[in-house]
């Protein structure tokens, strides 16, 4: 791990930010991954540069090579993403798109979700947010301290790896079943479980933490409903740590299980909480069974906000926003194993919305972005709003309440998908009628153009001033 600089104070506002000389985007000194790579290739040549990066330990991050090659690089030098890079074309593996049973794993270097296979450069930078991550650092250290030495070693992974097929960040899935990595809530002591959930709470807003708990509780409720609590309960969720919790160096955590996956990357006081997958089957616990979670509801606000925005559109605007009147399990495009999905814009752009409609758009986006702690949610929303004209809203399916539907919000810096799915294992076991419906919901939030898992920030951190 890189040692912090000692010739300046990293903890105060100034020309250095967490060991890096800080330059705002647009200033002469601002450096992106691509500019860094261009200079390095020009000065040293490809072979020498590869040797230099291997010596520095940066060669282990495929995203540097995959996302930052110059236009003059030959096709063999560049990893060109396609829908099949992290999953089968069009998605696959189970209801709600990629991520179903027998997922394909990671079979290409990380590039990130794009609209056409080309990463837009210069969207992200290392900078101070002014929002402390101290509570997250302390909570992660407390959970690690609660583990035995053997547990600690088994459940701590590098924040980056030399073999992209073994990148634990990218090996998540939203389906039920055992995991190859991580310690489950079920296998923790009560003390460890409390520390684990405290770590989630420290990094999320009150509403976000409540939403995460709802996904777990509805998973147990579904298991009770279908008499499958050995497969579906609120404790089959696995936690791992990436790197070492630190106020200056990159680290993070991943919480993964059925219908709930949170990837949480930290660098200084910057946070990236994507990809985040949340889902539920059933969406509403209203089947009258003997359960502590009878009456629990999920996704009411998110579904209502989608309808609210859609119904505020004029007939002509709806004709643009509604791209198909049908829905399918392949509507959701950026689920598990879809880190490099190519998803063209569709629907109506923010440039064609009036001020009242834009307000409804931001309300919808905030419901998802707001799952992270309040301070970082505001920082992220401020960044998203800079791309209002390039923020697209699209809808699939009928516009009547309760009907199967899907919507997407997409811009250079945010991707949100919400999908009503066909029956999953709980619905099938419970004997529900087949067909997509709002009893089974999947949603995902991503940071397009290379910054899921904070990988763009990590690449900058490895490249700048080292």
């Amino acid at each position: 791990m890189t040692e912090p600089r000692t010739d300046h104070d990293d903890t105060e506002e100034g020309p250095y930010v967490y060991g890096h000389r800080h330059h705002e985007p647009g200033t002469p000194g601002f450096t992106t991954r691509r500019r860094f790579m261009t200079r390095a290739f020009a000065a040293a040549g490809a072979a020498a540069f590869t040797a230099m990066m291997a010596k520095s330990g940066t060669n282990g991050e495929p995203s540097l090579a995959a996302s930052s090659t110059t236009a003059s690089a030959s096709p063999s030098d560049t990893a060109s993403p396609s829908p099949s890079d992290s999953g089968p074309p069009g998605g696959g593996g189970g209801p709600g798109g990629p991520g179903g049973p027998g997922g394909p794993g990671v079979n290409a270097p990380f590039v990130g979700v794009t609209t056409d296979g080309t990463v837009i450069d210069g969207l992200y930078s290392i900078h101070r947010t002014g929002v402390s991550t101290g509570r997250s650092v302390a909570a992660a250290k407390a959970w690690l301290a609660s583990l035995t030495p053997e547990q600690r070693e088994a459940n701590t992974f590098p924040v980056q790896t030399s073999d992209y097929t073994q990148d634990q960040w990218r090996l998540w899935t939203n389906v039920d079943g055992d995991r190859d990595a991580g310690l489950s809530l079920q296998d923790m002591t009560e003390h460890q479980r409390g520390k684990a959930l405290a770590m989630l709470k420290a990094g999320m807003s009150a509403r976000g933490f409540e939403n995460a708990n709802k996904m777990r509780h509805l998973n147990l409720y579904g298991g009770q409903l279908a008499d499958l609590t050995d497969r579906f309960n609120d404790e089959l969720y696995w936690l791992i740590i990436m790197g070492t919790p630190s106020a200056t160096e990159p680290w993070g955590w991943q919480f993964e299980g059925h219908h709930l996956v949170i990837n949480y990357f930290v660098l200084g006081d910057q946070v990236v909480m994507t990809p985040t997958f949340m889902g539920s089957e059933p969406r509403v616990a209203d089947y009258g069974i003997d359960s502590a979670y009878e009456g629990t509801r999920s996704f009411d606000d998110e579904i209502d906000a989608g309808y609210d925005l859609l119904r505020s559109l004029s007939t002509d605007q709806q004709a643009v926003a509604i791209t198909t009147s049908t829905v399918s399990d392949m509507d959701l495009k950026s689920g598990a194993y879809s880190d490099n999905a190519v998803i063209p814009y569709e629907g109506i752009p923010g440039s064609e919305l009036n001020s009242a409609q834009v307000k409804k758009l931001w309300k919808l986006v905030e419901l998802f972005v707001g799952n992270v702690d309040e301070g970082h949610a505001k920082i992220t929303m401020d960044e998203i709003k800079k791309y209002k004209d390039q923020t697209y809203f699209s809808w699939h399916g009928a516009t009547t309440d309760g009907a199967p539907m899907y919507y997407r919000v997409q811009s250079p810096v945010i991707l949100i998908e919400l999908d009503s799915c066909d029956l999953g294992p709980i619905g099938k076991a419970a004997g529900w009628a087949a067909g997509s419906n709002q009893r089974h919901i999947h949603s995902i939030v991503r940071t397009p153009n290379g910054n899921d898992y904070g990988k763009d920030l990590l690449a900058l951190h490895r490249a700048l001033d080292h």
Side-chain angles (χ1 to χ4, degrees), residues 34 42 46 142 247 271 442:
R34 187 164 295 158
V271 167
H442 284 181

Side-chain angles (χ1 to χ4, degrees), residues 14 48 91 114 125 128 159 182 188 245 253 276 294 311 316 318 329 372 393 426 428 431:
T114 62
S125 69
R128 282 197 178 277
V159 76
M188 295 180 197
W253 52 264
T276 290
E294 182 72 29
R311 291 166 180 169
D316 289 344
Q318 285 194 9
D329 274 347
V372 75
F393 172 72
I426 293 173
K428 291 177 181 177

Side-chain angles (χ1 to χ4, degrees), residues 187-205:
D187 291 332
M188 295 180 197
T189 66
E190 184 176 353
H191 176 67
Q192 292 170 338
R193 193 179 306 118
K195 295 296 184 183
L197 295 176
M199 185 167 64
L200 269 66
K201 187 175 183 178
M204 304 181 77
S205 65

Side-chain angles (χ1 to χ4, degrees), residues 148-218:
T148 66
E150 294 77 16
Q151 288 175 324
R152 196 156 45 244
E153 181 178 2
N155 296 290
T156 303
F157 293 84
V159 76
Q160 67 179 114
T161 179
S162 58
D163 181 356
Y164 63 78
T165 67
Q166 298 302 311
D167 184 350
Q168 288 297 328
W169 282 117
R170 301 179 63 195
L171 290 171
W172 62 270
T173 177
N174 53 279
V175 301
D176 65 288
D178 289 337
R179 300 308 194 255
D180 293 331
L183 184 63
S184 72
L185 295 177
Q186 181 170 274
D187 291 332
M188 295 180 197
T189 66
E190 184 176 353
H191 176 67
Q192 292 170 338
R193 193 179 306 118
K195 295 296 184 183
L197 295 176
M199 185 167 64
L200 269 66
K201 187 175 183 178
M204 304 181 77
S205 65
R207 183 178 183 278
F209 185 60
E210 180 184 17
N211 284 339
N213 282 333
K214 283 182 178 180
M215 302 306 110
R216 294 194 305 113
H217 296 161
L218 284 167

Side-chain angles (χ1 to χ4, degrees), residues 46-133:
F49 178 72
T50 300
M52 176 188 76
M53 297 303 279
K55 182 178 180 180
S56 69
T58 312
N59 195 43
E61 176 48 55
S63 66
L64 283 168
S67 299
S68 305
T69 50
T70 67
S72 61
S74 67
S76 61
D77 291 331
T78 305
S80 300
S82 71
S84 62
D85 275 347
S86 295
V106 177
N107 51 30
F110 179 83
V111 175
V113 174
T114 62
T115 59
D116 60 4
T118 302
V119 172
I120 300 173
D121 191 39
L123 296 173
Y124 311 106
S125 69
I126 294 175
H127 61 274
R128 282 197 178 277
T129 66
V131 180
S132 175
T133 55

Side-chain angles (χ1 to χ4, degrees), residues 127-372:
H127 61 274
R128 282 197 178 277
T129 66
V131 180
S132 175
T133 55
R135 290 181 63 238
S136 287
V137 172
K141 288 181 177 179
W143 181 67
L144 287 171
S146 75
L147 305 182
T148 66
E150 294 77 16
Q151 288 175 324
R152 196 156 45 244
E153 181 178 2
N155 296 290
T156 303
F157 293 84
V159 76
Q160 67 179 114
T161 179
S162 58
D163 181 356
Y164 63 78
T165 67
Q166 298 302 311
D167 184 350
Q168 288 297 328
W169 282 117
R170 301 179 63 195
L171 290 171
W172 62 270
T173 177
N174 53 279
V175 301
D176 65 288
D178 289 337
R179 300 308 194 255
D180 293 331
L183 184 63
S184 72
L185 295 177
Q186 181 170 274
D187 291 332
M188 295 180 197
T189 66
E190 184 176 353
H191 176 67
Q192 292 170 338
R193 193 179 306 118
K195 295 296 184 183
L197 295 176
M199 185 167 64
L200 269 66
K201 187 175 183 178
M204 304 181 77
S205 65
R207 183 178 183 278
F209 185 60
E210 180 184 17
N211 284 339
N213 282 333
K214 283 182 178 180
M215 302 306 110
R216 294 194 305 113
H217 296 161
L218 284 167
N219 196 50
L220 172 58
Y221 184 90
Q224 294 167 334
L225 186 65
D227 195 23
L228 291 171
T229 54
D230 57 329
R231 287 178 58 191
F232 304 102
N233 59 55
D234 57 353
E235 294 186 347
L236 288 175
Y237 293 86
W238 286 258
L239 179 62
I240 58 177
I241 296 285
M242 312 293 189
T244 301
S246 168
T248 57
E249 292 299 310
W251 70 281
W253 52 264
Q254 183 183 78
F255 189 74
E256 176 194 4
H258 185 229
H259 280 160
L260 178 62
V261 182
I262 303 169
N263 291 283
Y264 198 95
F265 173 83
V266 184
L267 176 59
D269 66 1
Q270 291 181 267
V271 167
V272 179
M273 199 177 85
T274 64
T276 290
F277 183 103
M278 291 190 182
S280 58
E281 185 186 35
R283 183 178 75 82
V284 180
D286 60 356
Y287 290 82
I289 65 174
D290 182 16
S291 172
Y293 301 117
E294 182 72 29
T296 301
R297 304 183 64 89
S298 63
F299 294 105
D300 283 345
D301 292 340
E302 292 83 353
I303 292 173
D304 288 348
Y307 281 125
D308 193 32
L309 174 56
L310 179 71
R311 291 166 180 169
S312 75
L313 304 180
S314 68
T315 301
D316 289 344
Q317 287 176 313
Q318 285 194 9
V320 177
I322 303 172
T323 59
T324 175
S325 60
T326 61
V327 295
S328 80
D329 274 347
M330 295 298 104
D331 284 334
L332 191 143
K333 301 297 184 184
S334 65
Y337 310 114
S338 299
D339 290 334
N340 297 343
V342 176
I343 307 174
Y345 289 132
E346 66 172 32
I348 188 167
S351 59
E352 297 182 16
L353 303 179
N354 62 38
S355 58
Q357 292 166 338
V358 168
K359 186 176 180 180
K360 294 178 186 295
L361 172 65
W362 296 148
K363 178 181 178 181
L364 184 157
V365 172
E366 198 280 330
L367 286 170
F368 293 89
V369 172
N371 284 320
V372 75

